[in-house]
Amino acid sequence: MTFYDEYEKYIGLNLEEFFKEVRDEDVLRVLSKENLTRTDYLTLLSEKAEKYLEIMAQKSRDITTRHFGRVIFLYTPLYLSNYCENQCAYCSFSTINRMPRKKLALEEVEAEAEMISQTGLKHILILTGESRYHTSIEYIKKCVGVLKKYFTSISIEIYALDENEYLELINAGVDGLTIYQEVYNKQIYDEVHITGPKKDYKYRLEASERACRMGIRSLGIGSLLGLDDWRSEGFALGLHADYLQNTYPEVELSVSLPRIRPHVGSYSPKYDISDKNLVQMMLAIRLFLPRVGITISTRESSSFRDNLIGLGVTKMSGGSTTEVGGHSSSEHGEGQFDISDKRSVSEMAEMIYKKGYQPVFKDWWLD
Amino acid sequence: MSDEFKIGGKVLQSRLFVGSGKYSNNRLIPEIIKSSKSEVITVALRRVDFMDEKENMLNFIPKECVLMPNTSGARNAEEAVRIARLARETGCGNWVKIEVISDNKYLMPDNMETIKATEILAKEGFFVFPYMNPDLMDAKRLRDAGACAVMPLGAPIGTNKGLKTKELVKILIDEISLPIIVDAGIGKPSEAAEAMELGAAAVLVNTAIASAENPILMAEAFGLAVKAGRKAFLAGTGAIKEFAEASSPLTGFLN
C-alpha cells in the first residue's frame, strides 16, 4: 500500500458539502485541541475558519517557536540543466517552448558551487529539467561529487526515479529529495501534463516513498497552487504529509506552498489563491502537523515573505535563480519561472535578523 | 557547604545545563551563560559551521564553559557514532550527548540504538551522556554500557509540558547509581526545581529559555530554581501529612 491507495479513499468526498456545514463552534473546538485529526485539519481549511486567522497565527507561532526555535533555514537552488522531455502547461522548460537549452559541464558546476559557497550556505538544492538522456543518474552523481566539496547537505529536485536509482544517489552523497506532485487532482494532473514521462501520476506520487524506503534523510513535497482549488489541494497535501510522517517517521519532512508564477508560455492559473488563502493554508498545516517544516520560496514577494516569518515558515531560499548557470554566469537567459523575491543570501540573512530570527546556513553534516 | 558536581572529569558548581539551538541570535549565548551561571552547554554538531568566522556558534561560548556536543539528527547508532567522532576530531572535547531519534513526529529517543552507540563510544573514551526515554531496564543497560550519566526526558522535547515522567524519573533516581540529568520537556523554573528536589543531579533546559519572551531573564530564573531545588533536596524535605496532628484521639490511650 502507498499513499496512492490511501488517497483513493478520499476522492469521492464532497468537500464543498463539508465546508458548508462547518460552524463557528467547530472551528473553535479544533482550535482548542492539541492533536488534530484529518477532519479537524479540513475544518481549518474552511471559509468559516478564515475568521479565526489571528488565533490560528498565534497558535502557529507558538508551536513553531517551541519546535524549531527562532530560526529560519536557508538554502539556494542550483539548476544543472533545462533539457526536458515533458510538456507541462505551467512550465517554461516544456518541450514546446523554444528556448536555449543548456546543461552545465562539471567545471561550470564547480564555478556555480564556488559562487554559492561564498555566501556561506552549506545546503544546496540541485535541479534539472526532466531528461534522463541529457541529465542521467551518472551525470548527477558526478555533479554531486563536485558539490560535496562545498556543501554539507545536498538535495535533489529532478525527475522521479526508481528505488535503486535513489539508492545510488544517496550513496553518492545526496541526503534530501524535493518532489512536488504539482497537483493531486488526477484529472487536472492529466490535463496539464500533456506529454512526457511525467504524465504517469502514480509513478510521480509514489516517488517520495521509494526514496524514503531507500533511506533519504529529508523530503520536501508540495502542490503547485493555482492548478486546482487550493482547499482541496491543501487537504490532499496535508493527507500526503500525514501519511508520510506516519509511515516513514525517520524522515525529516517539509511541505512547500508554491504559487504559480509567470513563465514562458501561455498558461495562466485557473484558480486564484489570495495572500489570505495562502496564509490560512500554511497555518492549518502547522496546527495539523506541528513538526513538519514549511518552505516559502522566492516565487513570493519580498514583503509577503518577510511578513510570514514568525507565522510558521521554517525554510526559505535566497539568492535564487531558476536559470542554468545563473549563479556564476553574467549572461542571462530564460529561467524556469520568474522570481519575485530577488534578494541575495546576505540580504535575506539581514532581514531575518531584523525580524528577531536567526538565519541558519548549516543544519546537517555527517562526514 | 560545598556541593560540587563531579562529572566527566570536571567539577561543576552549577547543575543547570543549557542548549544553544533555538535562539534568535548567537550573541544571546554568552548572555544566557552569564545570567544562568550555567557551566555546560550542549551544541548540535550538525549546526556548527567551523568555516564561518562570524557565526560559528562555538565562538560565542565562553572558554570556561564545558562543551557537550550532541548527535542531533542521528537516526541510528551508526550515525550517532559518526557524529560523535566528528565532534572529537574537530576539537569539541570528549563529552558527547547521544541523541538518536528515528521518529520525527514526537522526536522520541530510540533507547535501543542509544544503548548501542553508548557502548561503542564509551569504549572509545568518550564521556557519554545518553538522552533516553525513562525506562529502568534501559537505564541499567546504559549504565552497563559505560554511560557517565543518564538523561531521561521530562516530557517530549520542545513541548514545555513539565515533568510528566515524574514517577519514572523517580525510579531511575532510586535505582541507578549514575547521575540522573532530566533533559527535555521542562517548561518552567518550578518544574526544574521539582526535578532537583526529587534528587536529579542536574537539569538540561533549552526550549523553555529560548522560547521565553526574555530568554536572558528566564535563564537566570532557571539558574536560581535549580539551585533552590538542589538545596531543598540536600536539606531533606519534611514528610507530607494528610491530616493535622493536634492529638491522637484513637491511640491516645496507649500512651
Side-chain angles (χ1 to χ4, degrees):
Chain A
M1 197 181 117
T2 69
F3 179 65
Y4 183 85
D5 310 292
E6 176 99 353
Y7 186 50
E8 291 248 292
K9 296 183 210 157
Y10 290 85
I11 286 173
L13 198 70
N14 189 337
L15 295 186
E16 269 175 44
E17 208 53 42
F18 176 89
F19 289 136
K20 238 189 275 168
E21 300 286 315
V22 174
R23 301 159 303 163
D24 286 88
E25 45 281 32
D26 294 324
V27 179
L28 288 168
R29 183 182 46 78
V30 171
L31 289 176
S32 69
K33 286 176 74 172
E34 191 183 328
N35 297 315
L36 271 52
T37 63
R38 289 174 171 186
T39 313
D40 293 335
Y41 172 57
L42 194 55
T43 304
L44 294 184
L45 293 173
S46 68
E47 270 176 63
K48 194 62 110 190
E50 196 181 293
K51 242 167 73 183
Y52 300 94
L53 229 48
E54 181 60 29
I55 302 177
M56 285 169 73
Q58 290 184 9
K59 265 199 98 158
S60 170
R61 179 166 72 174
D62 175 53
I63 295 168
T64 310
T65 311
R66 277 191 286 110
H67 292 316
F68 294 88
R70 291 196 170 101
V71 301
I72 298 286
F73 302 101
L74 284 176
Y75 70 96
T76 203
L78 161 49
Y79 279 75
L80 296 176
S81 161
N82 59 7
Y83 284 98
C84 196
E85 292 162 17
N86 292 318
Q87 191 184 334
C88 308
Y90 51 81
C91 179
S92 300
F93 290 175
S94 172
T95 49
I96 58 156
N97 290 328
R98 301 188 73 108
M99 62 186 292
R101 303 285 165 165
K102 187 176 164 58
K103 166 182 146 183
L104 295 182
L106 291 182
E107 306 81 70
E108 292 172 304
V109 173
E110 183 121 29
E112 291 275 292
E114 251 168 44
M115 264 328 250
I116 295 168
S117 71
Q118 280 171 26
T119 65
L121 287 178
K122 291 287 184 289
H123 287 214
I124 193 84
L125 172 66
I126 51 177
L127 298 97
T128 64
E130 189 149 331
S131 171
R132 278 176 180 272
Y133 175 75
H134 289 283
T135 48
S136 64
I137 300 291
E138 274 315 304
Y139 166 75
I140 291 164
K141 264 164 66 178
K142 282 182 193 151
C143 293
V144 169
V146 171
L147 294 166
K148 260 164 67 173
K149 291 187 278 176
Y150 297 88
F151 304 99
T152 61
S153 169
I154 301 169
S155 296
I156 49 169
E157 187 169 350
I158 62 171
Y159 48 92
L161 304 180
D162 290 336
E163 275 191 0
N164 59 330
E165 294 171 321
Y166 280 124
L167 186 62
E168 246 184 272
L169 289 181
I170 290 168
N171 289 337
V174 168
D175 60 84
L177 169 69
T178 297
I179 188 156
Y180 300 159
Q181 186 60 22
E182 317 295 8
V183 58
Y184 287 90
N185 181 316
K186 233 171 151 175
Q187 199 190 328
I188 298 176
Y189 187 94
D190 198 53
E191 284 163 22
V192 297
H193 298 102
I194 301 153
T195 60
K198 196 169 175 178
K199 205 167 177 57
D200 188 340
Y201 176 95
K202 191 168 187 265
Y203 186 72
R204 177 95 183 167
L205 188 63
E206 293 176 344
S208 52
E209 287 173 66
R210 291 193 292 274
C212 287
R213 282 196 291 274
M214 293 301 106
I216 200 85
R217 253 192 74 73
S218 66
L219 172 66
I221 58 169
S223 159
L224 191 51
L225 301 169
L227 295 176
D228 184 14
D229 169 58
W230 73 268
R231 293 180 207 272
S232 63
E233 280 298 307
F235 185 51
L237 178 64
L239 291 176
H240 194 189
D242 186 45
Y243 172 86
L244 289 169
Q245 187 181 242
N246 289 331
T247 316
Y248 304 99
E250 69 282 6
V251 176
E252 268 182 26
L253 184 65
S254 59
V255 298
S256 195
L257 312 174
R259 280 194 286 193
I260 292 183
R261 288 282 305 157
H263 63 101
V264 176
S266 58
Y267 185 85
S268 62
K270 298 264 187 309
Y271 294 84
D272 277 343
I273 166 163
S274 68
D275 287 358
K276 212 173 197 179
N277 297 153
L278 187 70
V279 169
Q280 185 180 349
M281 183 171 163
M282 186 184 86
L283 298 175
I285 289 174
R286 168 57 68 235
L287 267 48
F288 178 46
L289 304 163
R291 287 189 169 93
V292 162
I294 297 179
T295 308
I296 298 285
S297 80
T298 47
R299 290 167 187 260
E300 300 299 336
S301 73
S302 50
S303 63
F304 185 60
R305 290 222 295 169
D306 294 3
N307 280 319
L308 292 182
I309 291 181
L311 260 62
V313 57
T314 57
K315 254 191 217 181
M316 287 178 142
S317 48
S320 292
T321 165
T322 65
E323 282 170 48
V324 179
H327 291 281
S328 55
S329 164
S330 52
E331 290 166 38
H332 288 289
E334 296 290 353
Q336 190 184 21
F337 54 85
D338 280 2
I339 284 185
S340 175
D341 185 351
K342 299 191 166 68
R343 286 175 293 183
S344 68
V345 173
S346 64
E347 285 167 330
M348 282 299 292
E350 196 185 328
M351 175 277 288
I352 292 166
Y353 274 126
K354 270 195 193 133
K355 285 272 176 182
Y357 280 69
Q358 179 180 184
V360 173
F361 288 63
K362 173 172 179 281
D363 192 45
W364 184 238
W365 186 29
L366 198 54
D367 273 317
Chain B
M1 70 186 255
S2 147
D3 176 36
E4 288 167 336
F5 181 21
K6 292 193 181 114
I7 188 154
K10 309 273 181 191
V11 181
L12 307 171
Q13 307 301 321
S14 165
R15 289 168 182 270
L16 172 64
F17 294 6
V18 295
S20 58
K22 289 179 171 172
Y23 300 124
S24 59
N25 196 312
N26 283 332
R27 280 145 201 85
L28 274 172
I29 292 174
E31 303 284 326
I32 298 284
I33 300 275
K34 202 172 135 194
S35 70
S36 67
K37 297 199 166 68
S38 172
E39 295 164 299
V40 177
I41 184 164
T42 184
V43 170
L45 193 76
R46 68 193 282 188
R47 287 271 178 94
V48 179
D49 193 348
F50 293 92
M51 310 290 276
D52 189 335
E53 286 170 22
K54 240 173 76 192
E55 291 299 331
N56 178 357
M57 206 183 274
L58 299 183
N59 295 344
F60 295 91
I61 297 172
K63 292 279 161 288
E64 58 279 11
C65 212
V66 181
L67 193 60
M68 181 160 73
N70 68 59
T71 64
S72 162
R75 296 173 297 177
N76 50 46
E78 190 227 323
E79 287 183 355
V81 167
R82 281 167 71 186
I83 295 170
R85 287 176 185 156
L86 202 53
R88 185 150 72 180
E89 282 162 26
T90 50
C92 294
N94 57 357
W95 280 35
V96 66
K97 176 184 156 189
I98 303 290
E99 216 177 297
V100 180
I101 290 171
S102 51
D103 153 47
N104 279 293
K105 191 168 177 182
Y106 296 100
L107 298 180
M108 286 299 191
D110 184 329
N111 283 357
M112 215 163 90
E113 293 293 311
T114 303
I115 295 164
K116 279 192 227 163
T118 299
E119 192 165 4
I120 296 168
L121 293 168
K123 279 195 190 125
E124 292 180 12
F126 282 92
F127 289 110
V128 183
F129 295 77
Y131 168 55
M132 59 120 38
N133 226 320
D135 175 89
L136 176 61
M137 302 313 144
D138 285 343
K140 286 182 178 174
R141 290 182 184 108
L142 286 169
R143 178 197 62 200
D144 298 342
C148 75
V150 174
M151 304 181 81
L153 57 90
I157 195 164
T159 59
N160 283 348
K161 282 186 176 180
L163 196 54
K164 293 290 174 199
T165 56
K166 185 172 169 180
E167 296 304 321
L168 302 174
V169 169
K170 255 161 75 173
I171 294 171
L172 299 194
I173 292 171
D174 288 343
E175 301 303 323
I176 305 292
S177 50
L178 298 174
I180 305 298
I181 302 171
V182 176
D183 180 6
I186 299 287
K188 294 194 282 285
S190 55
E191 294 153 359
E194 186 185 10
M196 296 305 295
E197 284 167 13
L198 292 178
V203 169
L204 193 151
V205 180
N206 182 25
T207 307
I209 295 175
S211 66
E213 238 177 270
N214 183 339
I216 298 169
L217 190 58
M218 188 57 88
E220 185 185 353
F222 268 103
L224 293 169
V226 166
K227 211 165 196 171
R230 176 65 184 175
K231 281 189 192 293
F233 170 73
L234 293 174
T237 43
I240 297 167
K241 298 189 180 104
E242 294 288 336
F243 305 100
E245 267 182 79
S247 58
S248 312
L250 296 182
T251 56
F253 71 96
L254 296 171
N255 297 326

